[in-house]
Amino acid sequence: MNSALAADASTLRANGKSGWHQRAFEFLVRHRIRISVIVFVCLILEDLLERRQPRDLANFRDPWMMLGLALVSGGLALRSWAAGTLKKWAQLTTQGPYGVIRHPLYVGSFMMMIGFCVLINDEKNIYFILGPVLLMYLAKVFKEERLLAGKFGAPWQAYAAEVPRFIPRRLPRTPFAAWSLQQWLGSREYRALVSGLLGLVAVQLWRLAA
């Protein structure tokens, strides 16, 4: 992946596209995770200062709590499914969740972010997630697809023509045939799982302390 990124960057320079806007683009794409975390932390600090009360994770009669919890849990599950299936840059992965959408890891991440916004109970947070944060990830998606098209050529073009980016049109034919625990562990996806669960615990503690 690093060699592919380096090749892409050198191609951009060779084409004379290394102006300030291109450097800003590369910076946002490269540091999107850190920037997303900073934005999310700032939003939470604002909610704490406003003494906003999150939704009660023990109140299963609250439809908004159920929606937020479903989004977080579904996002974690989708990310784990994708991480255990993806053969990153070694081959074109078209099985499991990659058989129905091209970017399940990113979709899972956004499901989690929106879910936490719902649980925190501050709708304006969603605007930040669907605004600047979404734009950063879209930039990453388009950049990644250019690299994949360059690496895999015609097979990628055929795959992209059949499988949508984000919204599935059908169910997977063989959901877990290519899933591997070793692959899941190797991708360190357990860190996202632990972080998500700790986030849910933190929301409930926040609720109890509010």
Side-chain angles (χ1 to χ4, degrees), residues 13 19 37 78 80-81 84 106 113 125 144 147 166 191:
R13 286 193 294 270
V37 170
L78 181 58
S80 285
W81 184 20
Y106 297 142
M113 285 189 278
N125 291 352
E144 195 170 276
L147 295 176
F166 306 120
R191 295 186 298 185

Side-chain angles (χ1 to χ4, degrees), residues 42-187:
C42 290
L43 293 173
I44 291 174
L45 289 175
E46 181 197 19
D47 290 329
L48 286 170
L49 292 173
E50 291 179 351
R51 298 184 180 275
R52 188 168 292 274
Q53 190 174 54
R55 298 189 179 277
D56 185 2
L57 298 184
N59 183 10
F60 295 100
R61 292 178 295 179
D62 179 1
W64 289 104
M65 187 285 293
M66 294 297 291
L67 173 62
L69 187 60
L71 285 170
V72 173
S73 302
L76 284 170
L78 181 58
R79 281 191 56 90
S80 285
W81 184 20
T85 305
L86 177 63
K87 306 297 187 294
K88 204 168 187 178
W89 299 102
Q91 65 184 61
L92 182 60
T93 305
T94 61
Q95 296 176 295
Y98 291 91
V100 290
I101 52 175
R102 303 204 296 265
H103 302 284
L105 281 168
Y106 297 142
V107 172
S109 295
F110 263 84
M111 288 174 63
M112 290 175 61
M113 285 189 278
I114 297 297
F116 274 113
C117 287
V118 173
L119 293 175
I120 290 171
N121 196 20
D122 186 355
E123 64 279 357
K124 70 175 179 294
N125 291 352
I126 298 177
Y127 303 145
F128 280 92
I129 300 302
L130 295 180
V133 175
L134 177 59
L135 289 176
M136 283 191 300
Y137 277 82
L138 286 176
K140 171 61 176 176
V141 164
F142 296 142
K143 179 182 178 69
E144 195 170 276
E145 289 196 347
R146 289 199 303 272
L147 295 176
L148 289 167
K151 182 175 178 63
F152 296 109
W156 165 260
Q157 298 296 339
Y159 169 70
E162 180 183 356
V163 179
R165 281 192 179 98
F166 306 120
I167 302 176
R169 294 193 291 257
R170 58 177 175 79
L171 295 174
R173 297 186 181 92
T174 54
F176 301 104
W179 194 88
S180 164
L181 177 61
Q182 183 178 2
Q183 179 70 26
W184 183 82
L185 292 171
S187 69

Side-chain angles (χ1 to χ4, degrees), residues 4-27 29-30 139 142-144 146-147:
L5 289 172
D8 186 68
S10 62
T11 301
L12 288 172
R13 286 193 294 270
N15 291 335
K17 297 181 179 178
S18 57
W20 68 266
H21 57 286
Q22 184 60 41
R23 292 194 296 272
F25 172 85
E26 294 290 342
F27 177 85
V29 170
R30 188 180 306 113
F142 296 142
K143 179 182 178 69
E144 195 170 276
R146 289 199 303 272
L147 295 176

